[in-house]
Amino acid sequence: MQIMTVCLLYEMGKGKNSFWYPYLKHLPRSYEILATFSEFEKQALQVDDAIWTTEKAISKAESEWKRANLLMQELKLKSRLLSLRAWIWASATISSRTLHIPWDDVGCLCPVGDLFNYAAPGEESNGIENVESLMHSSSLQDHSLSTEHSTDNLPVERYDAHIQRLTDGRFDEDFGAYCFYARNKYKKGEQVLLIYGTYTNLELLEHYGFLLKENPNDKVFIPLEPSMYSSNSWPKESMYIHQDGKPSFALLSALRLWAIPQGQRRSMGHLAYSGSQLSVENEISVLKWISQNCHVILNNLPTTVEGDSMLLCTIDKILNFRNPKELGEMLCRSESEACAFLEASSLQKKENGAELLLCSKTKRSAERWKLAVDWRLRYKKILTDCISHCTEIINSFSSQNVSTVRTQ
């Protein structure tokens, strides 16, 4: 990736003399990936794992820039292209826009092909189902049963072609080009979306600089005690809370097994691993444990869901304000985090705020701040949805018990 980053900066230095100039001039001039976050924007994420991920991304960018600096000097790049800011821009271009190719792990930049926005896996209704229907179609079954030694492979070829079309894009050696395949029947004027992979919102923010409002692949991990890991064989990454607030299959299975006496785990393990409830009491204790720990996480964070929702409205106003005086007055009346943004952005204002100017640099900072607040808000909503989900199931058990007592 470092070599490709240097190559990109080298081509940028050529200006109009570069063969790639028509493509390069249309690249974004800034990105909002985690490596571009300031200290204020990083802390605005609030969650330790997210802050650590951001620190790692920033450290990685700085380290790679330092290692490549001597080579860039030998190539006599212009001073503006030797800066850390230029390096982060180039590496962000590669991180967010490259496409997979079989002969290089870094991937390739593909003009036009990198214009498509992202669609998360799971949103389409026509995917594997179409393949399964093709596999079980009468033509394929008849072919496999009645012409075992036939050289007519048309149905199999249809199946292989369909499997290939399940990928949105790939480099086709036969054509010597990168080919894209539509999963849906797009109409004129509709946006064409591609699936990049199964990313959480934090991963999308780290590599691409955006979030999804509804991301079926988003998840929240809650701290588990060491004994909870040792009591089962589920991998740690499988034990989490889904985007809709429901605990994952593995998390429920692990906690059900952990919540019973150690002497019973061998005899009841097969039930837990199959996803079965072990008892009403066991299920209630597990759901209460999950709910309580979600409460603990939420209570340890400095702001609430409601506060973050209001703050997002404030940030939108900051981004849309055109009157410097009104903007200064509004920020002075805003909550402490908005005032901290004012200080972190080094915005100087007179007594009446009339000299406050929201420059392009500050607007980009506000955009990143908004992404951080938006991310932490969605993180908290997953936890609150999980609490509601657990409470609803616990209450349903209670109502069932009441009904049973009345019947008796």
Side-chain angles (χ1 to χ4, degrees):
M1 181 173 172
Q2 289 171 270
I3 294 175
M4 192 170 182
T5 304
V6 172
C7 289
L8 177 57
L9 290 170
Y10 184 76
E11 290 297 324
M12 288 294 293
K14 291 181 181 179
K16 294 182 179 180
N17 293 325
S18 171
F19 172 81
W20 298 104
Y21 178 73
Y23 169 66
L24 298 176
K25 72 177 183 178
H26 288 103
L27 289 175
R29 287 297 173 259
S30 63
Y31 296 92
E32 282 74 45
I33 62 172
L34 291 182
T36 66
F37 275 37
S38 67
E39 181 65 22
F40 171 81
E41 295 147 14
K42 179 186 73 175
Q43 295 300 328
L45 290 162
Q46 294 185 349
V47 180
D48 288 342
D49 285 346
I51 293 174
W52 177 82
T53 300
T54 305
E55 290 174 343
K56 186 176 68 171
I58 294 171
S59 176
K60 180 174 180 288
E62 292 178 348
S63 175
E64 291 179 345
W65 168 66
K66 289 177 181 178
R67 288 202 297 269
N69 206 263
L70 180 60
L71 173 60
M72 292 191 293
Q73 289 179 15
E74 291 177 353
L75 291 172
K76 298 180 179 180
L77 296 187
K78 297 176 181 178
S79 58
R80 63 182 178 84
L81 298 175
L82 290 172
S83 66
L84 175 60
R85 179 181 175 184
W87 178 267
I88 292 177
W89 171 85
S91 59
T93 298
I94 294 168
S95 171
S96 63
R97 306 182 80 83
T98 49
L99 303 175
H100 172 73
I101 48 177
W103 65 86
D104 196 316
D105 292 338
V106 176
C108 67
L109 289 170
C110 181
V112 181
D114 60 1
L115 294 177
F116 301 105
N117 282 330
Y118 176 74
E123 293 181 346
E124 300 82 7
S125 60
N126 58 335
I128 296 298
E129 296 86 351
N130 288 344
V131 178
E132 291 176 347
S133 66
L134 180 61
M135 288 180 65
H136 295 94
S137 65
S138 57
S139 62
L140 184 56
Q141 289 178 347
D142 292 346
H143 175 82
S144 61
L145 291 173
S146 61
T147 59
E148 182 177 354
H149 303 291
S150 171
T151 57
D152 181 10
N153 292 321
L154 179 59
V156 176
E157 290 173 357
R158 283 178 57 217
Y159 172 68
D160 289 341
H162 198 90
I163 284 289
Q164 292 176 357
R165 293 297 177 92
L166 285 177
T167 56
D168 289 348
R170 64 186 178 88
F171 184 82
D172 194 312
E173 294 183 359
D174 293 335
F175 292 105
Y178 215 96
C179 300
F180 296 92
Y181 306 100
R183 290 172 179 258
N184 302 314
K185 293 182 178 179
Y186 289 99
K187 297 179 182 179
K188 185 177 180 179
E190 289 183 334
Q191 182 179 187
V192 179
L193 301 172
L194 292 185
I195 290 177
Y196 307 162
T198 54
Y199 293 101
T200 65
N201 268 343
L202 185 61
E203 290 168 335
L204 288 175
L205 194 53
E206 178 182 3
H207 299 292
Y208 301 103
F210 68 88
L211 305 171
L212 288 182
K213 185 175 182 181
E214 296 295 333
N215 185 356
N217 301 296
D218 211 8
K219 60 190 70 169
V220 167
F221 292 89
I222 58 176
L224 301 179
E225 299 172 15
S227 60
M228 294 174 177
Y229 292 119
S230 61
S231 64
N232 68 87
S233 58
W234 291 108
K236 291 182 179 181
E237 60 270 18
S238 67
M239 293 183 278
Y240 56 85
I241 299 171
H242 285 285
Q243 183 253 355
D244 59 2
K246 296 179 181 178
S248 70
F249 183 96
L251 179 59
L252 279 176
S253 172
L255 292 179
R256 286 165 179 161
L257 201 55
W258 167 78
I260 61 174
Q262 189 170 355
Q264 298 179 18
R265 290 174 186 171
R266 181 179 294 274
S267 61
M268 301 189 72
H270 67 288
L271 293 174
Y273 282 110
S274 69
S276 301
Q277 295 180 9
L278 304 186
S279 69
V280 171
E281 293 77 13
N282 176 272
E283 196 71 9
I284 290 176
S285 67
V286 165
L287 294 174
K288 283 185 176 180
W289 187 93
I290 295 174
S291 180
Q292 289 168 359
N293 279 270
C294 288
H295 272 297
V296 170
I297 295 172
L298 288 169
N299 291 336
N300 285 335
L301 295 174
T303 59
T304 63
V305 168
E306 295 75 15
D308 288 347
S309 298
M310 293 176 63
L311 182 56
L312 281 178
C313 294
T314 299
I315 298 174
D316 282 332
K317 290 179 181 178
I318 291 174
L319 290 169
N320 294 317
F321 256 108
R322 295 293 178 267
N323 186 311
K325 181 178 179 180
E326 290 181 4
L327 176 57
E329 292 174 350
M330 186 202 73
L331 286 174
C332 290
R333 296 193 305 267
S334 298
E335 53 275 289
S336 58
E337 191 166 343
C339 294
F341 169 75
L342 202 65
E343 295 177 4
S345 302
S346 300
L347 295 176
Q348 302 297 324
K349 60 182 186 299
K350 302 293 184 180
E351 292 182 2
N352 61 3
E355 299 299 320
L356 181 63
L357 177 62
L358 200 58
C359 62
S360 59
K361 180 181 177 181
T362 307
K363 284 186 177 180
R364 290 196 298 272
S365 178
E367 290 283 4
R368 293 191 293 269
W369 177 31
K370 181 181 178 180
L371 284 169
V373 176
D374 199 4
W375 180 85
R376 80 194 194 202
L377 173 60
R378 299 185 189 286
Y379 176 92
K380 293 170 189 175
K381 282 184 174 179
I382 293 177
L383 293 173
T384 55
D385 287 345
C386 184
I387 293 171
S388 299
H389 171 75
C390 293
T391 302
E392 183 180 349
I393 297 177
I394 292 170
N395 290 340
S396 70
F397 281 126
S398 300
S399 62
Q400 289 174 15
N401 291 337
V402 171
S403 298
T404 301
V405 171
R406 288 178 178 174
T407 303
Q408 292 174 349

